[in-house]
Amino acid sequence: MNDLEFRQQALDTKSASFCAAKWYNATIWLGSGMTTSCHHPPAHRIDLEELKINPKAIHNTVEKKIDRLNMQLGNRPKGCEYCWKIEDMGRDAVSDRVYKSRIYPLEALDEAYRQPHQEDVNLRTLEIAFDRTCQFACSYCNPAFSSTWVRDIQRNGPYERLVSDGRNHFTHTHDSAQLYRFGETNPYSEAFFKWWETDLHQTLQELRITGGEPLMSGETWKLIDWFKDNPGRSKTRLAINSNLGKEVDVDRLLEATKDISIDLYTSMESVGQQAEYIRDGLDYSAWVMNIIRLIQSKQLRGLHVMCTINALCLDTLPDLLTVFMRWKQEYGSDFPNFTLNILRFPSFQSALVLPDNIRTRYKNNLEQWLEQWTTSSLMHEHERNHVQRLIDYLDVVKTPHSETFEMPKLHSDFKNFYKQYDQRRNKNFVKTFPHLSDWFNHL
Ligand code: SF4
């Protein structure tokens, strides 16, 4: 069954909006006590009072239960706009509700659909963040997820003159993202470890640790040690997100996971200087060296690169995709796997703020790239589909994921933001992105 057939036969036969991620998947930020079903819907707060009597409430929040009911009835939860926008392109586009549902057995999908929406569900896949410690401060990230971003705001004050929906990302230090100081008891962490010890380690298929940069968090190493010290006790696959910056201790990771098979997820969406501009703190060559070191260790179950598609990465995205294909040729089709995830917020950094002629040029470049590689047996179906859906997205969807703000405001924010970013981070937009310089200068 291909992806589209799966959508038609396994999901749409239940309801036009059914997505198993709402039941079986979660991202949970223990530092802020927030959760969401996947990384697209906005996060919401976990009820601390309920958590005291039921650790499963860390995932089974009232908001998710209402969304589950809506999905059973075929209504579209508003937070899942990312998927509806893709599906409304009307080209049999495959949205993430397919990818995020087809990783579970068909019986589990039936069970979720039939189960009364008020009941608690055991997670099958979980992404968890312990804290926001991170040595990077990427342009599309913000202080809620990076301690280096916090320092930028503390040192230089809020970004000024931003008016669109993304402005609040950059105006304060997001103290609510770190409710408890290091060493203080965090009830969300306590609930997680309690649930982990009692049932989660038996039922969870995959546990993915994210951040910040999780390899800079002591809790991550504690969890890796749990796997080391409890061999055979859990079948949960362990996965770790890492920016693989030069500060990350890859040798320590390889030593600590010698007897545990892990999946490694990392992010990148362009190459060289442009990548270093977007992902402030990155040394692109060090990232490449770390990737090669990890692949050659043969210790990983899989290596996955997540590309966050924003306005600045499209210049060299095809070059990066070619790098991936060369690695696949050398190391096999899973080294790496890649996904293209379209950035929605902040809207002013979306690829859709680019003028038609530039966006069309990038679309054509991607089409040429796909034509060259599409018959390669090393490319997975989901990878081919992700490239195709980005081509369609650049072609069809003309409005960024924003409800009320029009293009002039997004353009004004784009210029204001990157001018301040250049000053604060000692960067140069015009020099780094010569193909965008005319447009940028005239904004
Ligand atoms: S955004 Fe899409 S993939 Fe995520 S929970 Fe909603 S429908 Fe599922």
Side-chain angles (χ1 to χ4, degrees):
M1 208 187 316
N2 67 27
D3 291 339
L4 182 60
E5 286 163 354
F6 180 87
R7 183 186 127 185
Q8 291 162 339
Q9 292 170 30
L11 301 183
D12 293 350
T13 46
K14 295 183 173 51
S15 89
S17 62
F18 181 82
C19 169
K22 207 49 99 180
W23 282 258
Y24 297 129
N25 185 65
T27 299
I28 300 174
W29 292 273
L30 295 171
S32 60
M34 306 284 276
T35 183
T36 178
S37 332
C38 79
H39 54 282
H40 301 310
H44 60 276
R45 192 156 295 287
I46 299 160
D47 185 335
L48 207 46
E49 288 310 307
E50 214 190 327
L51 204 57
K52 284 180 189 156
I53 42 172
N54 175 20
K56 292 185 184 185
I58 201 168
H59 161 54
N60 293 284
T61 59
V62 172
E63 183 161 337
K64 284 187 198 175
K65 287 177 177 175
I66 292 171
D67 284 352
R68 287 173 195 163
L69 175 63
N70 273 318
M71 285 185 167
Q72 286 170 333
L73 296 172
N75 302 326
R76 289 175 158 191
K78 192 169 174 306
C80 298
E81 187 201 7
Y82 181 89
C83 283
W84 317 138
K85 197 111 179 169
I86 300 273
E87 290 183 17
D88 286 347
M89 292 191 312
R91 292 194 189 178
D92 288 341
V94 172
S95 72
D96 276 8
R97 82 183 168 100
V98 170
Y99 301 119
K100 289 184 188 292
S101 295
R102 77 175 304 178
I103 55 174
Y104 308 114
L106 290 173
E107 311 80 68
L109 269 55
D110 291 338
E111 206 179 303
Y113 178 59
R114 282 197 309 267
Q115 183 170 335
H117 72 282
Q118 308 90 333
E119 283 183 14
D120 288 342
V121 181
N122 266 337
L123 278 167
R124 288 172 181 256
T125 48
L126 168 63
E127 186 175 55
I128 201 141
F130 291 110
D131 57 62
R132 59 176 167 172
T133 308
C134 185
Q135 82 281 34
F136 282 15
C138 304
S139 65
Y140 49 70
C141 188
N142 67 66
F145 303 102
S146 157
S147 50
T148 305
W149 250 113
V150 173
R151 277 198 297 282
D152 177 358
I153 302 293
Q154 282 170 341
R155 221 176 4 231
N156 305 305
Y159 278 66
E160 289 168 352
R161 302 185 304 283
L162 303 181
V163 291
S164 66
D165 61 352
R167 69 187 177 282
N168 280 331
H169 286 56
F170 311 108
T171 54
H172 63 110
T173 51
H174 295 253
D175 293 339
S176 62
Q178 197 72 56
L179 296 174
Y180 305 90
R181 284 200 302 276
F182 290 105
E184 226 177 334
T185 304
N186 176 338
Y188 300 105
S189 281
E190 274 193 333
F192 163 71
F193 279 109
K194 205 157 153 191
W195 195 17
W196 172 253
E197 276 291 345
T198 50
D199 14 13
L200 213 48
H201 75 274
Q202 293 165 345
T203 58
L204 207 57
Q205 289 171 19
E206 183 181 275
L207 173 61
R208 186 155 145 192
I209 312 176
T210 186
E213 167 49 46
L215 293 176
M216 295 196 153
S217 162
E219 301 273 38
T220 302
W221 296 101
K222 196 169 116 189
L223 206 50
I224 292 175
D225 283 346
W226 187 95
F227 279 88
K228 245 176 30 182
D229 299 341
N230 293 279
R233 209 175 136 201
S234 171
K235 289 199 173 63
T236 305
R237 290 190 312 267
L238 183 62
I240 298 174
N241 285 2
S242 172
N243 58 37
L244 292 183
K246 63 176 185 297
E247 303 79 4
V248 169
D249 194 341
V250 169
D251 288 332
R252 181 180 176 194
L253 178 67
L254 287 173
E255 176 59 31
T257 56
K258 236 182 6 225
D259 302 316
I260 318 162
S261 202
I262 64 162
D263 280 276
L264 201 294
Y265 289 79
T266 189
S267 298
M268 192 60 63
E269 51 277 326
S270 53
V271 301
Q273 274 184 17
Q274 297 193 353
E276 289 173 0
Y277 183 97
I278 298 167
R279 299 179 59 72
D280 188 28
L282 169 78
D283 175 335
Y284 181 75
S285 312
W287 179 80
V288 169
M289 303 273 282
N290 277 338
I291 294 252
I292 303 286
R293 169 107 180 75
L294 283 165
I295 295 179
Q296 289 183 342
S297 76
K298 295 201 165 61
Q299 264 183 236
L300 298 185
R301 194 176 19 233
L303 187 118
H304 313 260
V305 186
M306 303 170 291
C307 310
T308 303
I309 304 303
N310 62 88
L312 303 186
C313 74
L314 294 165
D315 229 21
T316 57
L317 176 66
D319 299 337
L320 183 70
L321 297 179
T322 302
V323 170
F324 295 162
M325 295 310 292
R326 300 273 179 240
W327 284 341
K328 282 171 183 275
Q329 284 170 335
E330 196 165 347
Y331 302 112
S333 62
D334 286 330
F335 295 93
N337 279 299
F338 68 85
T339 53
L340 306 186
N341 310 298
I342 298 167
L343 176 135
R344 301 159 60 219
F345 299 110
S347 306
F348 67 84
Q349 295 188 28
S350 154
L352 301 180
V353 302
L354 296 169
D356 282 359
N357 62 329
I358 295 180
R359 215 181 50 236
T360 304
R361 192 171 71 229
Y362 290 151
K363 177 192 75 94
N364 293 343
N365 292 347
L366 275 169
E367 270 172 344
Q368 271 173 23
W369 185 91
L370 191 56
E371 222 176 278
Q372 186 189 343
W373 290 99
T374 196
T375 54
S376 168
S377 58
L378 294 166
M379 187 148 44
H380 294 294
E381 185 194 356
H382 78 266
E383 294 171 332
R384 201 172 287 112
N385 285 345
H386 273 211
V387 179
Q388 184 58 56
R389 87 177 179 182
L390 176 58
I391 291 167
D392 292 344
Y393 188 82
L394 293 172
D395 192 25
V396 173
V397 184
K398 297 278 193 283
T399 326
H401 295 269
S402 159
E403 282 167 11
T404 48
F405 290 95
E406 326 80 346
M407 202 53 90
K409 286 180 179 162
L410 297 175
H411 284 162
S412 159
D413 277 3
F414 186 94
K415 179 129 188 196
N416 279 327
F417 176 83
Y418 284 111
K419 271 169 71 183
Q420 293 171 72
Y421 186 78
D422 278 2
Q423 278 175 345
R424 291 162 183 244
R425 313 291 179 83
N426 191 22
K427 294 187 184 294
N428 189 325
F429 183 99
V430 169
K431 244 169 120 175
T432 315
F433 299 97
H435 292 130
L436 297 179
S437 59
D438 269 355
W439 170 68
F440 184 75
N441 285 333
H442 287 95
L443 279 177

